[in-house]
Amino acid sequence: MKQQVRLTLWDFDDIGSLPDAALAIPLEKARVSVEEATPREVSMIVHSCLRDLSISATPRRNKLLAESLDQVQFFIWLYKEKHGTDFRILIELQRSKGDSFIFFEISRIILHTLKCRGNVEVESSEIISSTHQPERLYNEASFEFPQTERTEDMGAIMYTIVEMMKEKRVDANLLGLQKLYSSTRGGSGASIHLAGAVLQGGACDCDFLQTSIERYIYRNHKGNTRNDFEIKVYRAMHFYALAVLANSLCIWSAHTMNMQQIIHSQRWLGDDGLLFALISELSEVEIYPHNSYQAMRCLNILLRHSMKVRQRTLDLGAASLVSLSQCTGHSSHALLAKESDAVMNILAGALSKPTSISRHHSI
């Protein structure tokens, strides 16, 4: 497994095997020195911290390339530096791309954990992240729509998003999708309107948003990619499309919107429907754990609200992929582990007592 490959990167005790601390100082870096510790011990703390923060990591020669749910990428290096007559380990984090503020928030937590030798409880919620589930961001019971948002802001937000996603440049399309993602996170009046457009379509722009999200989830753009830049952009759009769908389902679920006509349709439950696409996403969990996390968020909501979807999920053989995601989550991605545990419990309940579905949860 990838986790095992990552753990072997610094799987040795000799500090002398590490490269000397680099003389070049990157513009955006964070570092800390650790005494009386071996590379193996430091590596275990780093991997534990990355797992708790739901940050994926891939070996790149003698360093790790880490990526957060916010699409912040950074390198993790281990060096040796002179300390008196001996050597100590220098851990350095270097931002590659993404939000600088979030990078330094992540760095602060990782380096503090290293300094405390791992004796710190870390949670993903410590990071001021744009990827937290929307139900954490507002109180369901007190949800209200400001009248001004219903009439003016809602139309302006929709217009901006659609215009950007209709541009011929893929970078503009990505910005539009990111705007749609951020607009389906909170409790504003526009959020539930956009969620409805994504889930059920409608006239003009609503139908465009629905079909666009599905196109990026199905990766129907593959034949149009011309270079590495576009491949990377489309990969990011695939992630944001999954996240937008998850956010939209969360919003409708939190406000007890009737999803029966939507999720019981062929569009969702057909042989190549959205449910099949979400389950298929789990097959790449070891390569793209963040994508699998967003897919699992969707599955968690769908399964909690529909017995018919539960049965269809079992018919599609999802149990083994959910189990794989569960194992990967517990080893390297805390948020994925949480969602996978919930989905596995629902599927286990459906297998053991298929008829004991509460009226509250089925539609």
Side-chain angles (χ1 to χ4, degrees):
M1 293 176 65
K2 279 187 65 179
Q3 176 68 5
Q4 294 173 329
V5 175
R6 293 195 293 267
L7 287 173
T8 60
L9 180 59
W10 296 303
D11 189 22
F12 51 84
D13 294 321
D14 181 19
I15 295 180
S17 301
L18 294 173
D20 292 325
L23 296 177
I25 300 177
L27 292 177
E28 291 193 53
K29 54 88 179 177
R31 54 171 59 178
V32 68
S33 298
V34 177
E35 302 172 20
E36 298 180 359
T38 67
R40 180 182 288 108
E41 292 169 343
V42 170
S43 175
M44 295 299 292
I45 296 173
V46 168
H47 287 293
S48 177
C49 195
L50 293 178
R51 178 197 64 224
D52 293 341
L53 293 173
S54 299
I55 296 175
S56 65
T58 306
R60 289 287 189 274
R61 296 181 65 183
N62 58 341
K63 60 184 177 292
L64 282 179
L65 174 61
E67 182 175 21
S68 74
L69 275 164
D70 306 272
Q71 309 289 292
V72 175
Q73 287 189 355
F74 58 96
F75 293 107
I76 302 176
W77 294 81
L78 258 61
Y79 298 112
K80 68 175 185 287
E81 66 172 357
K82 195 73 174 175
H83 180 61
T85 59
D86 209 345
F87 286 99
R88 64 182 178 183
I89 298 177
L90 174 69
I91 303 97
E92 183 171 278
L93 279 62
Q94 301 174 2
R95 188 182 74 91
S96 173
K97 69 175 185 178
D99 187 283
S100 297
F101 177 72
I102 295 176
F103 166 69
F104 281 110
E105 282 293 295
I106 293 171
S107 301
R108 178 184 61 82
I109 296 171
I110 294 176
L111 298 184
H112 175 65
T113 305
L114 283 163
K115 200 69 176 176
C116 297
R117 293 293 199 279
N119 296 320
V120 177
E121 290 189 6
V122 179
E123 295 183 4
S124 295
S125 57
E126 290 191 44
I127 304 229
I128 302 176
S129 166
S130 63
T131 54
H132 288 325
Q133 299 180 15
E135 61 263 31
R136 296 180 181 178
L137 303 178
Y138 58 85
N139 187 332
E140 305 176 11
S142 61
F143 186 91
E144 294 181 358
F145 297 122
Q147 188 63 34
T148 54
E149 271 195 343
R150 281 186 175 178
T151 55
E152 299 176 7
D153 294 348
M154 216 177 283
I157 291 172
M158 173 81 82
Y159 176 81
T160 302
I161 291 171
V162 170
E163 287 301 303
M164 294 175 75
M165 292 180 66
K166 285 183 176 179
E167 284 283 342
K168 293 183 178 180
R169 291 172 32 230
V170 292
D171 55 342
N173 300 155
L174 176 58
L175 289 174
L177 198 51
Q178 290 172 329
K179 173 69 173 176
L180 176 59
Y181 167 72
S182 64
S183 298
T184 54
R185 280 176 42 238
S188 68
S191 297
I192 197 166
H193 177 68
L194 290 169
V198 169
L199 294 176
Q200 65 182 1
C204 302
D205 291 343
C206 293
D207 187 64
F208 171 79
L209 287 182
Q210 183 188 43
T211 55
S212 296
I213 292 299
E214 292 179 6
R215 183 173 75 254
Y216 292 128
I217 288 176
Y218 286 125
R219 294 188 175 102
N220 287 343
H221 54 267
K222 280 189 173 180
N224 300 325
T225 54
R226 294 185 293 272
N227 51 55
D228 291 341
F229 170 74
E230 289 191 357
I231 291 174
K232 291 179 180 178
V233 171
Y234 279 125
R235 187 177 297 155
M237 287 196 286
H238 177 70
F239 166 80
Y240 280 110
L242 289 167
V244 166
L245 183 62
N247 287 355
S248 301
L249 288 169
C250 281
I251 291 172
W252 272 45
S253 173
H255 297 283
T256 61
M257 308 294 283
N258 186 355
M259 294 189 284
Q260 181 175 4
Q261 289 184 329
I262 298 173
I263 64 176
H264 287 180
S265 64
Q266 281 294 110
R267 193 175 205 139
W268 279 85
L269 302 183
D271 291 340
D272 296 313
L274 280 168
L275 181 64
F276 176 78
L278 293 173
I279 294 171
S280 299
E281 198 68 48
L282 306 182
S283 65
E284 296 184 316
V285 64
E286 293 186 322
I287 306 173
Y288 304 113
H290 296 330
N291 291 354
S292 297
Y293 163 64
Q294 299 296 350
M296 199 68 79
R297 286 179 62 202
C298 295
L299 291 173
N300 192 2
I301 297 166
L302 294 169
L303 295 175
R304 281 193 285 112
H305 284 77
S306 174
M307 182 171 60
K308 186 174 182 179
V309 173
R310 295 179 208 182
Q311 187 56 54
R312 180 59 176 156
T313 302
L314 290 171
D315 292 343
L316 290 171
S320 60
L321 290 176
V322 173
S323 178
L324 174 63
S325 299
Q326 191 178 32
C327 293
T328 302
H330 281 285
S331 66
S332 61
H333 200 292
L335 290 175
L336 175 60
K338 181 180 178 181
E339 296 293 332
S340 300
D341 288 346
V343 170
M344 185 59 78
N345 288 337
I346 295 172
L347 292 178
L351 283 170
S352 60
K353 298 179 182 179
T355 59
S356 61
I357 308 298
S358 66
R359 184 173 298 179
H360 174 74
H361 284 143
S362 57
I363 48 181

